[in-house]
């Protein structure tokens, strides 16, 4: 499921470290990696030359840090608006996963600061793994999926099972949240999946592949609860479905309603204390 990975690098953050951790997962250790750095246009030729030189050094350092087989890695240095270029290159190489650093800005801050990760998240239909600057990247053993009846959640489950299938001692954590918009929280409770049809179906899928799973329920505001469970259960990687509701004709426009409105995935990407992989299900 993940054969081509696009890693965007800026010389800052934990994106390279995250990719090194991902490469320890047997199911994707042979994936091809494209490393991208984008140089924004400058006012003078001299400044532009300096930017190109620095960009080349950033790519070289990333390649050295990752220590990948030359046959499995390529690099791209390109000029343009980063948020547009990342989407373009992801389409060009047909990336199965985009790995990006993120400052963890809230929605309005993201708009005002022209956040690259926020705009790529809005404009791309490809799965994205966002790594905030202030989190600790751990070896991946415990993967959590926020599960419900949506197609995007089912897609997340498939992806989690793909990642976990060859991880020695790997564990799938399935969390089902009952929505309480009033914010009243319940205890995080480990449950027998037989009493919850949504969890039962997910556990059955995991059992088919011989993957150990544990199931939890809680209630409250979904975004807050997902982040709370991920932190309290010491999750290494959180997978969250993020349906793409925009028609294909509007792909070139940012969905402002989702940028400034209430978005579960937006809340989680900002507040989660572990890396977040947002998997998309495109609605046609």
């Amino acid at each position: 499921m993940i054969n081509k990975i696009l890693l965007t690098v800026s010389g800052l953050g934990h994106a390279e470290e995250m990719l090194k951790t991902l490469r320890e997962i047997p199911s994707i250790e042979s994936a091809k990696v494209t490393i991208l750095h984008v140089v924004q246009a400058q006012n003078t030729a001299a400044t532009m030359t300096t930017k190109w030189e620095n960009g080349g050094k950033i790519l070289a350092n990333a390649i050295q840090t990752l220590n990948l087989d030359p046959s499995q890695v390529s690099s791209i240095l390109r000029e343009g608006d980063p948020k547009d270029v990342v989407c373009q290159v992801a389409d060009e190489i047909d990336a199965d996963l985009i790995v990006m650093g993120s400052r963890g800005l809230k929605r309005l801050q993201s708009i005002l600061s022209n956040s690259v990760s926020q705009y790529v998240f809005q404009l791309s239909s490809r799965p994205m793994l966002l790594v905030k600057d202030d989190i600790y990247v751990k070896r991946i053993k415990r993967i959590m999926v926020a599960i419900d009846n949506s197609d995007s959640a089912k897609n997340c489950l498939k992806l989690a099972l793909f990642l976990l299938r060859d991880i020695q001692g790997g564990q799938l954590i399935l969390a089902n949240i009952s929505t309480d918009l009033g914010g009243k929280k319940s205890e995080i409770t480990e449950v027998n999946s037989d009493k919850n049809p949504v969890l039962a179906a997910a556990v059955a899928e995991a059992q088919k592949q011989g993957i150990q799973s544990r199931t939890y329920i809680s209630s409250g505001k979904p975004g807050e609860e997902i982040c709370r469970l991920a932190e309290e259960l010491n999750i290494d990687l959180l997978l969250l479905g993020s349906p793409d509701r925009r028609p294909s004709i509007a792909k070139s426009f940012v969905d402002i309603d989702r940028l400034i409105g209430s978005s579960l995935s937006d809340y989680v990407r900002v507040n989660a204390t572990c890396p977040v992989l947002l998997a998309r299900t495109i609605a046609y």
Side-chain angles (χ1 to χ4, degrees):
M1 290 179 69
I2 299 179
N3 297 309
K4 299 174 184 176
I5 299 174
L6 175 61
L7 171 69
T8 69
V9 295
S10 62
L12 302 170
H14 300 312
E16 294 96 323
E17 186 180 353
M18 186 73 244
L19 183 60
K20 287 180 71 174
T21 300
L22 283 175
R23 297 276 301 178
E24 295 176 359
I25 299 176
S27 58
I28 59 175
E29 63 183 354
S30 61
K32 302 282 186 181
V33 177
T34 299
I35 306 174
L36 170 68
H37 178 73
V38 183
V39 177
Q40 298 190 63
Q42 303 296 314
N43 293 329
T44 68
T47 305
M48 195 69 207
T49 299
T50 300
K51 286 288 185 180
W52 277 98
E53 291 174 351
N54 289 339
K57 292 176 182 177
I58 289 171
L59 285 176
N61 288 337
I63 292 171
Q64 184 177 19
T65 299
L66 293 170
N67 193 28
L68 296 176
D69 184 327
S71 66
Q72 292 183 303
V73 63
S74 60
S75 60
I76 297 175
L77 181 61
R78 189 170 292 184
E79 179 184 344
D81 186 330
K83 62 180 180 290
D84 294 328
V85 174
V86 172
C87 293
Q88 291 165 5
V89 173
D91 289 341
E92 288 172 14
I93 69 170
D94 194 21
D96 300 308
L97 178 66
I98 301 170
V99 180
M100 298 187 70
S102 169
R103 288 171 291 169
L105 299 176
K106 292 182 171 60
R107 287 184 294 273
L108 185 56
Q109 290 175 309
S110 295
I111 298 168
L112 297 177
S113 66
N114 202 23
S115 167
V116 176
S117 61
Q118 172 69 359
Y119 274 78
V120 172
F121 166 55
Q122 293 296 327
L123 294 173
S124 178
S125 60
R126 301 176 187 275
M128 285 185 65
L129 177 49
L130 297 175
V131 191
K132 289 195 300 178
D133 295 344
D134 61 351
I135 68 167
Y136 176 66
V137 176
K138 300 178 291 183
R139 189 176 183 186
I140 296 172
K141 289 279 190 179
R142 294 164 64 83
I143 297 179
M144 173 175 151
V145 176
I147 196 79
D148 57 25
N149 277 320
S150 69
D151 288 339
S152 56
K154 293 173 184 176
N155 191 34
C156 277
L157 176 62
K158 290 179 183 178
L159 185 52
L161 294 175
F162 168 78
L163 294 173
L164 283 164
R165 65 185 184 187
D166 295 316
I167 295 179
Q168 199 82 16
Q171 189 174 71
L172 174 66
I173 306 297
L174 297 164
N176 183 231
I177 312 298
S178 298
T179 301
D180 185 337
L181 295 179
K184 185 178 180 180
K185 297 180 180 181
S186 70
E187 292 294 321
I188 295 173
T189 306
E190 186 169 7
V191 296
N192 187 323
S193 63
D194 293 342
K195 299 179 180 180
N196 184 307
V198 174
L199 291 173
V203 168
E205 286 298 316
Q207 288 176 338
K208 287 178 185 177
Q209 299 188 37
I211 294 172
Q212 179 187 3
S213 63
R214 298 178 70 173
T215 52
Y216 293 84
I217 60 170
S218 70
S219 66
K221 293 182 179 179
E224 293 179 7
E225 286 303 291
I226 289 170
C227 291
R228 183 164 72 108
L229 266 80
E231 183 171 12
E232 293 195 14
L233 299 176
N234 195 27
I235 298 301
D236 304 319
L237 178 64
L238 169 61
L239 270 66
L240 181 67
S242 179
D244 187 346
R245 296 183 292 270
R246 292 167 293 137
S248 59
I249 194 172
K251 287 294 180 186
S252 60
F253 300 99
V254 174
D255 188 338
I256 296 298
D257 288 340
R258 292 185 66 200
L259 273 173
I260 62 177
S262 177
S263 166
L264 172 62
S265 52
D266 233 353
Y267 182 92
V268 172
R269 74 166 182 86
V270 170
N271 293 285
T273 55
C274 63
V276 178
L277 199 164
L278 298 164
R280 283 285 171 76
T281 299
I282 303 173
Y284 293 99

